[in-house]
Amino acid sequence: MIPSGTLVEFLQNKRVVMALCLRQDKPGRVFVRTDEGREEKLLEDKVLFSITGFLDPASPPEQIDEALRRAAREREDLASTIPLAELWELLYEDHATEPFSLASLAELYFGTAADPVQSSGLYRALEFDRVFFTRKAENYLLRGKNQVEETLQRLQAEANRLREREVLIPWLSNLWQKPSPNGGAAFPEGFEDACRRTLTWIRDVSLQGVEARRFKDVQALLKDAGISRKDAPFQIMVKAGLWSEHENLLLHRFRTNIDFSDELMAEARRLADQAEPLADPSRRDLRHLECFTIDDVFTTEIDDALSLEELPGGGIRVGIHIADAAAYVAPDTTLDLEARARATAIYLPDLKIRMLPPPLAEDACSLMTGKDRPAFSFLVEYDPNFVQVHAEMVPSTIHVREWLSYESADEALQAGRWERLLALARALRDGRRAAGAVTVPFPRVNVHVDTEGRISIEREMANAPSQVLVSEMAVLANRIAGEFLAEKGAAAFFRSQEPPDKPIEDAEEYDPARAYAARRFMRKGTLGMAPARHHGLGLDYYTQVTSPIRRYGDLLMQRQIKALLAGQPPLYEPAQLEELLAALRQPLEQSEALEKDRRTYWILRYLEERLWQETDAVVVANHPDKHIVQLCDCLFETECAHVPGHPLPPGSRIPVRIELVWPRDSVLRVSPVGPEEDPD
């Protein structure tokens, strides 16, 4: 029985509670007031320690509470001074596996039988110790030496993390609110590594989102620092001066190589300076031809040129001359392996990522004006009615006389220059249409960002004379190469496309609504090892060889064809190409994602500069509650609410107002500008 006025201690929710016995409730049960001011019932067998006559239970409640808190502090202070490490070391050598009662440990430590206060202090120290002792039933066991060492290291690490957190939270808050003009905030002295590590975690969260390993840690840090913006991880990287406002996150996610190592650049310069490709006696000298190139004004890797010869009897010979990259880049060299890893050049509005180093891609291999260059030429003869008479492929040497932009080429073609070449291109296109080719003109939109960050967007019509000429000559060369490889039964990459899910009507002019509908029925082209029909082009055999500076698959096919033309065995067997094709798929998919993502980003940035302005759009599809519209200047498609009372069929032009742009989330919101109301 516990008399009233007794100080008792008991364990509750992993806490030693101090209480004063107010009265006996029932046999084996007392009514107490705890050090937290609560009155509750307590079973006598739960009492750990007791001191009778501690305080009159009739004392004022505040006096009881203060006395209990003072008693608790006395015991906690005592517990904090007990050196468990020394006690453990004293016992470990001779008693490592022996169990010890609380009383025996108290006697060892205090030297005599312990009073309730000493027993309570030692109990508290042992009960909440995570390092040296563990309790089993009523006794205590010594932890093993290895376990003690590991626990001490872990606790030290936890303590370090807590200290770091106390520093990191105000540092992050300051970085968020007051970054320096050049970006960043000085790292607190002694915590430089912790700050760098935290920025690495934040970088990973910005790139991987919830999949990042430290996502929860970063979220907790940002919350404690009072930072709640959805894009906070990205913005912190910008404020820290590690990323630009327009940082390309996919480049980081894909770990895309942008630059070339010093060793690769040196090797490219060495190859570019060699004379062997031009000195090769097997090359046909075609420098007498009036070769010209047509390219985008921003193109620096010129991999194709054209020529036209009038033949006796009214026929013509067309020359499609492709840069001979295979003459410089040998299989399985360091340069070749790097090109294979990249798979393709990537052209972004604000960045160009080359497949080959500039000394080759933009100089030695590039078909520059006024320079003798090794080439791989397709020479195709036609009779006066544009019936193909003969075709051959030859390694050659050419000398480009003229470079033209698409715009200047259109002017020249409209003035009657290369009239028969353009007529041939149109005849080839008509022939493919007759063979089932699907022609859906779609303008090319060029997005460019200059060094000052200015965004320009230009539309090029797909049926412009220069576009028809260049595209048809490329299709011609690729078709001839595909037929050759198929006839030889050689291992090769063939492009194919299944027929549309629904017949698509041909068109000469671009119709946004029709093109949008046609895309729903077009099948995606595929790249494989077996020759198969390309229904989109209306061809039975089609490969790609016309961009060996920019596409690794084209370089492989150029090598394969050159080996076969030289009377040698195929350079690549099917198993080799299958392996190479598998290796190319991921970087090709990533390059496609990069180009699409970055193009969208900069178009949205362009539109962001025009927030609340009006622009023209075309309705391309309807839904019960909205239109799908295409903005006329940049061909970007987005949703738009219905004009109340004015249903608009696909093809209708409509003025819209740009209301919201979130470039990083690819979000654009526009609203229709309704018809003006009659003032009367």
Side-chain angles (χ1 to χ4, degrees):
M1 180 175 178
I2 299 177
S4 60
T6 299
L7 175 70
V8 297
E9 299 180 52
F10 61 96
L11 195 64
Q12 185 179 72
N13 297 327
K14 298 183 179 181
R15 172 178 173 264
V16 179
V17 178
M18 306 294 296
L20 181 68
C21 177
L22 301 178
R23 64 183 180 276
Q24 184 80 39
D25 185 47
K26 293 179 181 178
R29 189 188 298 267
V30 293
F31 197 72
V32 300
R33 181 181 179 88
T34 71
D35 54 8
E36 292 181 337
R38 295 196 308 270
E39 294 186 0
E40 56 187 71
K41 295 177 181 178
L42 175 68
L43 295 175
E44 287 187 28
D45 59 7
K46 297 295 183 183
V47 173
L48 299 172
F49 311 103
S50 63
I51 298 178
T52 58
F54 177 72
L55 187 67
D56 185 352
S59 301
E62 58 271 16
Q63 183 180 347
I64 295 174
D65 295 344
E66 175 56 31
L68 292 175
R69 287 193 291 268
R70 186 168 56 250
R73 285 196 298 272
E74 178 185 11
R75 288 151 177 78
E76 288 165 2
D77 290 345
L78 176 59
S80 67
T81 64
I82 296 175
L84 293 183
E86 294 179 12
L87 185 58
W88 178 85
E89 288 181 359
L90 177 67
L91 298 172
Y92 190 80
E93 185 173 349
D94 297 322
H95 308 282
T97 61
E98 292 182 25
F100 290 90
S101 66
L102 178 66
S104 63
L105 287 173
E107 187 173 351
L108 281 169
Y109 180 70
F110 294 108
T112 60
D115 61 32
V117 174
Q118 292 172 327
S119 296
S120 176
L122 181 58
Y123 175 84
R124 291 167 186 262
L126 291 167
E127 191 68 20
F128 302 107
D129 170 49
R130 294 187 291 166
V131 182
F132 301 101
F133 293 86
T134 182
R135 183 155 66 90
K136 186 175 182 180
E138 299 301 321
N139 293 316
Y140 292 91
L141 299 175
L142 280 67
R143 296 183 188 272
K145 185 172 291 186
N146 290 340
Q147 188 178 8
V148 167
E149 291 176 355
E150 291 173 2
T151 304
L152 287 173
Q153 291 174 1
R154 177 171 53 79
L155 291 175
Q156 183 61 50
E158 290 176 2
N160 291 341
R161 282 195 293 271
L162 288 174
R163 284 199 299 273
E164 287 178 357
R165 192 177 183 84
E166 291 173 356
V167 173
L168 288 171
I169 289 171
W171 173 73
L172 275 174
S173 180
N174 185 59
L175 175 63
W176 182 260
Q177 297 173 18
K178 301 174 183 178
S180 68
N182 297 324
F187 294 156
E189 185 177 354
F191 292 86
E192 294 85 353
D193 289 344
C195 291
R196 293 189 187 96
R197 183 172 62 251
T198 300
L199 287 173
T200 299
W201 294 355
I202 291 173
R203 174 188 182 276
D204 291 344
V205 170
S206 186
L207 295 175
Q208 302 170 26
V210 297
E211 300 298 321
R213 191 166 64 92
R214 295 288 186 172
F215 176 79
K216 291 183 178 179
D217 296 315
V218 169
Q219 290 296 98
L221 273 173
L222 296 181
K223 181 180 178 181
D224 290 346
I227 303 170
S228 58
R229 273 182 55 166
K230 179 182 177 182
D231 64 342
F234 174 84
Q235 294 298 336
I236 287 173
M237 294 299 292
V238 174
K239 291 174 183 288
L242 299 175
W243 284 354
S244 74
E245 177 190 357
H246 305 296
E247 195 75 14
N248 190 330
L249 300 189
L250 282 188
L251 287 178
H252 293 287
R253 289 175 191 157
F254 296 155
R255 299 181 181 180
T256 304
N257 284 334
I258 298 175
D259 300 316
F260 293 91
S261 67
D262 292 343
E263 293 76 15
L264 287 170
M265 288 293 289
E267 177 64 8
R269 284 190 288 269
R270 184 189 69 78
L271 291 171
D273 291 339
Q274 68 180 359
E276 286 83 350
L278 286 172
D280 184 353
S282 67
R283 292 191 177 280
R284 186 176 300 182
D285 190 347
L286 299 178
R287 286 176 292 180
H288 62 283
L289 297 178
E290 295 288 331
C291 292
F292 63 94
T293 61
I294 300 174
D295 262 303
D296 185 276
V297 293
F298 300 111
T299 299
T300 56
E301 299 162 295
I302 304 172
D303 48 20
D304 62 276
L306 301 175
S307 64
L308 176 66
E309 299 172 85
E310 299 285 347
L311 301 178
I316 59 172
R317 181 186 293 117
V318 176
I320 306 158
H321 311 280
I322 308 302
D324 193 351
Y328 290 94
V329 183
D332 299 323
T333 58
T334 54
L335 271 176
D336 181 57
L337 295 176
E338 180 70 17
R340 183 186 306 173
R342 295 176 179 235
T344 182
I346 304 172
Y347 298 107
L348 309 177
D350 54 338
L351 179 67
K352 181 185 295 184
I353 305 173
R354 301 165 184 83
M355 186 182 79
L356 296 175
L360 292 175
E362 298 184 353
D363 190 356
C365 293
S366 184
L367 304 183
M368 302 166 64
T369 304
K371 302 284 187 179
D372 289 351
R373 287 290 184 261
F376 185 73
S377 296
F378 293 77
L379 303 174
V380 194
E381 294 182 15
Y382 289 90
D383 69 12
N385 297 316
F386 298 140
V387 175
Q388 183 175 318
V389 175
H390 178 69
E392 62 177 328
M393 298 176 286
V394 295
S396 63
T397 302
I398 67 168
H399 187 97
V400 175
R401 300 284 196 272
E402 185 177 8
W403 173 90
L404 300 96
S405 67
Y406 280 99
E407 183 179 12
S408 59
D410 281 332
E411 294 174 357
L413 290 165
Q414 289 167 2
R417 195 174 179 192
W418 305 304
E419 181 178 4
R420 296 198 70 194
L421 190 57
L422 179 58
L424 170 64
R426 287 172 170 160
L428 290 171
R429 184 179 59 175
D430 291 342
R432 292 192 299 102
R433 284 176 173 170
V438 179
T439 305
V440 182
F442 198 92
R444 187 169 68 173
V445 178
N446 295 321
V447 183
H448 181 70
V449 183
D450 66 18
T451 55
E452 302 297 321
R454 291 183 292 262
I455 309 166
S456 61
I457 296 180
E458 297 179 355
R459 281 180 50 170
E460 293 182 0
M461 295 306 298
N463 59 352
S466 61
Q467 296 284 352
V468 173
L469 177 59
V470 171
S471 64
E472 286 300 326
M473 292 302 106
V475 171
L476 173 60
N478 289 327
R479 187 256 296 171
I480 290 171
E483 291 174 344
F484 174 79
L485 290 166
E487 179 184 335
K488 294 290 186 181
F493 295 155
F494 291 97
R495 296 205 70 88
S496 61
Q497 186 180 31
E498 292 292 319
D501 294 330
K502 181 179 177 180
I504 297 174
E505 183 182 351
D506 265 347
E508 286 290 339
E509 300 298 327
Y510 173 60
D511 181 330
R514 180 182 175 279
Y516 180 87
R519 290 207 310 266
R520 295 169 52 203
F521 306 116
M522 296 291 288
R523 299 284 193 91
K524 187 175 178 63
T526 58
L527 182 64
M529 297 286 294
R533 184 167 178 78
H534 196 299
H535 286 269
L537 295 175
L539 299 174
D540 289 327
Y541 305 104
Y542 192 74
T543 188
Q544 286 184 312
V545 295
T546 50
S547 293
I549 300 176
R550 298 185 278 185
R551 292 193 297 250
Y552 189 73
D554 293 39
L555 176 58
L556 292 174
M557 293 304 94
Q558 187 178 75
R559 289 173 179 163
Q560 188 80 318
I561 293 171
K562 288 178 68 176
L564 294 169
L565 289 175
Q568 300 170 358
L571 189 60
Y572 299 102
E573 294 299 329
Q576 292 174 280
L577 280 190
E578 287 277 11
E579 186 177 340
L580 287 168
L581 180 58
L584 295 176
R585 290 196 189 280
Q586 184 180 47
L588 288 174
E589 289 172 0
Q590 290 179 349
S591 69
E592 185 177 348
L594 275 165
E595 290 178 347
K596 180 180 179 181
D597 176 81
R598 207 57 177 169
R599 181 189 187 85
T600 298
Y601 174 81
W602 283 111
I603 288 176
L604 289 171
R605 280 291 185 185
Y606 172 85
L607 295 172
E608 189 178 42
E609 295 173 357
R610 289 150 182 79
L611 201 61
W612 301 111
Q613 295 182 18
E614 293 182 15
T615 188
D616 290 332
V618 176
V619 176
V620 295
N622 277 322
H623 294 284
D625 59 338
K626 62 193 173 187
H627 299 301
I628 304 298
V629 299
Q630 185 182 93
L631 305 188
C632 294
D633 57 347
C634 61
L635 305 188
F636 194 85
E637 293 167 2
T638 189
E639 298 177 358
C640 177
H642 284 162
V643 179
H646 294 79
L648 299 171
S652 303
R653 293 181 71 91
I654 175 177
V656 297
R657 182 181 292 108
I658 301 168
E659 291 188 341
L660 178 68
V661 184
W662 289 341
R664 291 240 167 249
D665 295 323
S666 299
V667 174
L668 170 66
R669 188 172 74 202
V670 300
S671 65
V673 179
E676 295 182 3
E677 297 181 0
D678 190 334
D680 296 332

